[in-house]
Structures are given as C-alpha cells and as structure tokens.
Amino acid sequence: MPGFDTLPIEETLEDSPQTRSLLGVFEEDTASISTYFSQLFKAMQRIYDAQNELSAATHLTSKLLKDYEKQRFPLGGDDEVMSSTLQQFAKVIDELSSCHAVLSTQLADAMMFPITQFKERDLREIVILKEVFQIASDDHDAAINRYSRLSKRKENEKVKNEVMEDVYTSRKKHHETTMHYFASLNMLQYKKKIALLEPLLGYMQAQISFFKLGSENLTQQWEDFLTNIGTSVQNVRREMDSDAEAMDQTIQDLKEASDPLYMPDPDPNTVPVNRNLTRKAGYLNTRNKTGLVSSSWDRQYFFTQGGNLMGQSRGDVAGGLVMDIDNCSVMAVDCEDRRFCFQITSFDGKKAAILQAESRKDCEEWIATINNISKRIYLSENPEEIAARVNQSALEAVTPSPSFQQRHESFRPSTQSRPKPGRSGSQCSVGSESPALSSLSLDSLVASDTPIQFDIISPVSEEHASQAKSAGQGRRTNPFGESGGPQSEESEDSILHQLFIVRFLGCMEVKATENADVIYETMRQILAARAIHNIFRMTESHLLVTCECLKLIDPQTQVTRLRFSLSSVVMCASHQENKRLFGFVLQTAGGRVDGRPVTVCYIFESNNDGEKICDSVGLAKQIALHSEMDRKASQKQRELNKAKEKQQEELHKQKQIEKDLEEQSRLIAASSRPSQTAADGQVLVLSNSQSEDSDVGEEGQKKGESEA
C-alpha cells in the first residue's frame, strides 16, 4: 500500500507482541484522526451554518428592499428613483440569495455529507470493532488459562472437551474479529484521504459555481486543479476497492486454512512436527517461584534471536533476554500440575527455566529448535538445511544396518576425507580405518546383549573394590556411590590440572580396543537408544584431567562421582562431525570374560571441543609415562649406588683382615728370633727391637682405632 504500512492479516492468529505493538500504533493514529476530524467537522459546520445564515440574511435583505416602497416614512415622501433603485438592488440581491441557497445545498451535499458519514459511520465502526476485539481477546485469554490449568492427574473427559471446545470457539471468534478489525484499520487510511479530499473538493466546486461570474482565467485554473483532485480521488477509490477485494479473499483463505489451528492440541498426524527449525516464536507459560514450595505460571511471548531466548509481555515495545541458549541443555520434564513442560538449563548450570507449551507438537518443536541452536547450527549459511541433514543422520542412526561398512557410510565421512593424525597426542582423537576392519561385524566391536547405562555408576575394578573394603572398615559407606571423604593428595602434586564441563550420555561394554571405530559405534548406539526411548536428561559433571587419574566431580557439591586411573584408559577419541562428542575406553583391573579383560566405553558431550579433551588426556598419559620412566631410572640408580657401597664395605673389611693377619705373623716371627751377644749386634738388636717396638706400637694404635 503506497504511503503507509498495513496491519498483517496473516499474523492475526499468532497474535504476537510485535503485531500488538503495530496495532497500538494504528489505534493511536485512529485516535488522532478522530480528534482532528472532529475539529475539522466543527469548522466546516460553522462554514455551512454561516452560509445558511448568509443565504437567509440575503433573502431577508431582498425582501426588505422590495418592501421599501410600501413603507411610509413621516418625513419622507414618495421617491420613485430610490424605490426603483432599491428594486434593482432587491432583484440582484434576490438572485444572490438564490445563489447562496444553491451554495448552501451544494455545501450540504458535497462538503458536509462526506465528512459526516466518515465521522458517524467509519470512525464509529472502528470504535465498535475495538470493543468487540477487546472482548474477544479477553475471552480467548480466559479460555487459554482454563485450558492451561487442566490437571494431569484428575482426567475428566467431559471437562476437557468443554474446555477444548471453549478454546476453539474463543480462538475462532478472536481470529475473525481481529481480521475484520485489522481490515477496517487498513481501510481507514484510504477513507481518511477520501474524507479529507471530498469535502474540500465539494466546497471548492460550490464556491466556483457561486463565483461563476468571476475571472474566466481564475475559474479555468481552479477547474483544472479541481479536475486533477477529482481524478486522484477516483484513483484512490478504485485502489481501495481492489485492496478490499484482496483482503476479503485473504480472510476467506485464512479462515479455511486456520481452522485446524484453532484446536490447542492438534493431531500430530494432521500437523507434523518440524524438527529442522532454528528460529521459533510463540506463547509459553513460564514458571515463577513465589515461595519455598509455591509457584505461579505466567503466560508470555517467547522468541529466539540468534543464540538467545527472548521474552516479551503484552504492551512491551521490545523483548528482553531470558537466557543464553548456546551450549545449553533442554529436556522434557514432568510437572505435577501441568502438561507439555520442558526445562532449559544454561551451559554453566547456574540458570534454569521451566516452560509449558500449548501442545505436544509445540513442546517437541521448541525442544528440537533449542537443541539446534545449542549446536550453533544457526551460525551456518543454510541452518535449516544443515539441521535437516543432522536430523536425517540421527534417523539413519536409529535404523540398524546389516554390516559395519553400510552403517559407517551414513554415519561418518569417507576415509579419503578424514583427517590424518598430525601429532602423537592426537592418537587419542582420531583413528585410521583399515580394509580389514571395514568388513568386521558389529559383534567384533560391541559386546552383544550389553545394556546401555544412561546414568553415572561406579566402574567395577579391583581398585574401587579395595577402596570400598577399606572405607567400610574405617568410615561409613556413602549409599549413593559417591566419595565424600577428603580429596586425595595425589592430584595436588600433579603437573597437569585441566577442568572441563561435560555431560554423561551413556556407557556400554565393548570388545575391540585396537581402533577408534569402537568409540564411533558406541556413540551411534547410545544416541540411537536415547532417540528411541526419548531420553533427554543428561548428568552434568566437571571432568578433571591430571597426570594420575580422570575424575568426574559434582559441580554443586564438589564430590567425586567417578575416578578412573590413567593407566586403565586405553584410548580416547572425538566424533568426526560433532566435535562436542567424545569418549574413552576403560580397561578394568579385575574381572575377565572369555580370557580377556572387561573393557567399557564411556561417551560424553562437552561444552568445548572434544578433541581438546582427548589431547589433554593424551598429554596426561605422556607426562605420566615420562614420570614413570624417570622414577624407574632413579630407583635403578639408587639400587646401583647401594650395591656399590656394599661392595666397597666388603672390600674394606677384607683388607683389614689381611692387615691383621700380616701383623700377627710379624709378631710371631719377632718373638722366635735368638738374641745376639756381640756389642754391635746388641746395639743392632736393640735398635731393631726399638724399631720393632715402635712399629708394633704404631700398628697397635692403628688396630685399636680400627677396632674402635
């Protein structure tokens, strides 16, 4: 429509706050039009009244002039010139009086009739439709509130049918009233122009007819101008008629197409669920806590904008931020007094919102849309196409394939397009597919008839068994399987400390541990099982990676839920397409089945890139390996030093024994030698004995020191 906007009749059923805001602008414009036309009507009424007064006054003047000759003035005599002159004036004035009477008639028909009709009919119609629209809107809100308060535990089919019929009737009445109200407001813009131009056109034409004796040039100019105005009025009238026909046809089409949408809970077979949406808007009931155990429900308009969930109440010009839904989690929840409820939890777990949809279809579409936004699909160029492809992959994952090769053709990209491992730390996040492995069956990877565990439980290992045994002797056992004692000091001295926010998806027993394809197959089976059984709940934890172990810690209580020794982690890998999915294979310390150790594959979803977590685990294993090698080398060096010291001590003892034996032999030899009689010999003997005595004294001193 040229010159102004129109109210969208197609959005009357949705009744969004944006449409209400635009309706408020139109209603404000209507009030301004009504005020202005009331003043204009008063002004034109004064012109019409003045013209009637002028016509009556002119006619009275002409009559008085004609009656002049019948008057008898005491001081005046018969003046035939004056009487004839006045008769001529009376004749002219009488003709002018006739012209004024015609002008009054023309003003009544061409000026007062259009503006009176616009004021009394069109503006009055808008006022009546506004009252009917407000009543229909209040009835619809009341019916929706009754329907939302239907109890889930006390099912009464009669009451339920009455409430649903009430919702159907009120919604249909509200929709039809709104469409007619919007159409009338749109037509008012045309009628406003016509109501402004037609009275002025009639006024000017009447004046030109009255002043026909005026200047021909001036008259010709006014006639050309008024002719153009008349042509414009006719064009606007034809355009109004065309738009009126189009709006009537649109109303009829919308009535036929919107009839199934009047029901609050339509049949899913008639209206299927669209799971490929990345944007959604509509009314939801939000739960607000009013006390420790009490809560209230408020109806509010919600819509998604990028990665944010926005809320807007009626009367608000713009919406406000409710929650950041990037990397959030959403799941259907059971409320005591409400149906079709779902809960949104922020990525850090600090904020949660419980919302109620009108129907099961609406609830599932909201959950699917928020899941798509949480995966940041909306940032791509074709978000709906990518969402459809992801959902199609999920559906194909639910349907089992006869061979491993056929399953992987639809589950992940081809071997040529898969990235090659670039470093040793990435061995935990990528795997190579060999031709021999592609022909393996499912039983060679995943243990048959193995139940999938969707909640966190403690792994079966000798380490945990010994811990439980020792804990049972020293302190009370936690019945929930959580270790509530003091944190062990082994992680305090660790070089590596990295914390990640993860959500546990499930775990199951596997057979093969030589290739990362076992993790991909476990991801496929766990996601397929969650989709089949409608399991949306996920346990959020903090994954602590250290050089000794992996810990799953409760974010609220900081209690260690699970502890995996780093030596028992066989491999770790992330998903090829969805980088937020990752898993690792754990080989338990005790228990063997068919001559092999029991291995379990754990699958998680993280807020970060799963490959980073796998690289962190790989780095921890490398640091642990180097630490173990250094420890063994230092232990071996200590053993060598100890053996060397022991050998030196034995050698010292042997030398001391040999020295003692030599000393004893010298003493025995000295005591058995004969004495000399010669003087020189005596002196020599004495000197020898003195030297021997001195030697013996020194040796005895050394021997005493050694014995001491």
Side-chain angles (χ1 to χ4, degrees), residues 59 137 192 240 269 281 315 341 407 425 565 633 656:
H59 180 70
S137 179
K192 177 185 70 174
M240 182 190 70
N269 298 324
C341 295
R407 284 193 304 272
S565 177
Q656 186 67 32

Side-chain angles (χ1 to χ4, degrees), residues 154-334:
K154 299 179 181 180
E155 193 72 19
N156 191 338
E157 291 297 327
K158 182 177 179 181
V159 175
K160 180 180 178 181
N161 293 333
E162 291 178 358
V163 171
M164 293 181 69
E165 185 66 22
D166 190 14
V167 172
Y168 173 84
T169 304
S170 62
R171 182 171 289 178
K172 183 176 181 180
K173 180 181 177 182
H174 177 261
H175 187 208
E176 293 178 357
T177 304
T178 305
M179 288 191 294
H180 289 293
Y181 184 39
F182 282 14
S184 299
L185 289 176
N186 291 335
M187 291 298 102
L188 184 64
Q189 302 300 319
Y190 293 107
K191 295 176 181 179
K192 177 185 70 174
K193 293 183 178 182
I194 296 174
L196 279 173
L197 297 177
E198 276 191 346
L200 297 177
L201 178 63
Y203 175 78
M204 296 304 298
Q205 288 177 345
Q207 293 293 338
I208 288 176
S209 298
F210 179 76
F211 296 106
K212 194 66 176 177
L213 299 177
S215 174
E216 292 295 335
N217 295 330
L218 182 61
T219 304
Q220 185 65 32
Q221 293 176 2
W222 279 107
E223 287 181 355
D224 294 339
F225 173 74
L226 295 178
T227 301
N228 294 331
I229 296 297
T231 304
S232 298
V233 171
Q234 294 299 324
N235 292 334
V236 172
R237 187 178 295 277
R238 284 194 296 269
E239 187 177 354
M240 182 190 70
D241 295 338
S242 177
D243 278 2
E245 292 179 1
M247 288 183 183
D248 291 339
Q249 184 62 35
T250 302
I251 290 174
Q252 294 299 326
D253 296 341
L254 290 177
K255 283 182 179 179
E256 297 176 1
S258 302
D259 190 79
L261 301 178
Y262 294 145
M263 293 299 295
D265 190 10
D267 187 5
N269 298 324
T270 305
V271 184
V273 178
N274 187 2
R275 303 184 184 275
N276 306 329
L277 299 175
T278 56
R279 291 183 299 174
K280 188 168 177 61
Y283 279 99
L284 297 172
N285 292 330
T286 177
R287 183 177 183 179
N288 299 320
K289 285 189 176 181
T290 57
L292 294 177
V293 294
S294 60
S295 60
S296 63
W297 295 82
D298 296 331
R299 183 173 170 83
Q300 194 174 1
Y301 186 81
F302 290 87
F303 62 94
T304 60
Q305 186 175 16
N308 298 325
L309 179 65
M310 311 293 288
Q312 186 175 0
S313 301
R314 285 187 180 179
D316 294 345
V317 179
L321 178 63
V322 177
M323 184 184 298
D324 182 7
I325 55 178
D326 267 345
N327 298 323
C328 74
S329 60
V330 59
M331 58 182 176
V333 294
D334 243 350

Side-chain angles (χ1 to χ4, degrees), residues 536-547:
F536 301 103
R537 185 181 183 87
M538 294 182 290
T539 304
E540 185 171 292
S541 304
H542 289 173
L543 177 63
L544 178 63
V545 181
T546 65
C547 297

Side-chain angles (χ1 to χ4, degrees), residues 451-463:
I452 299 176
Q453 298 169 354
F454 298 107
D455 199 2
I456 293 180
I457 62 172
S458 299
V460 181
S461 63
E462 293 180 354
E463 179 181 1

Side-chain angles (χ1 to χ4, degrees), residues 669-687:
S671 62
S672 62
R673 184 181 301 172
S675 61
Q676 300 292 334
T677 57
D680 296 337
Q682 188 176 3
V683 173
L684 181 60
V685 170
L686 289 173
S687 62

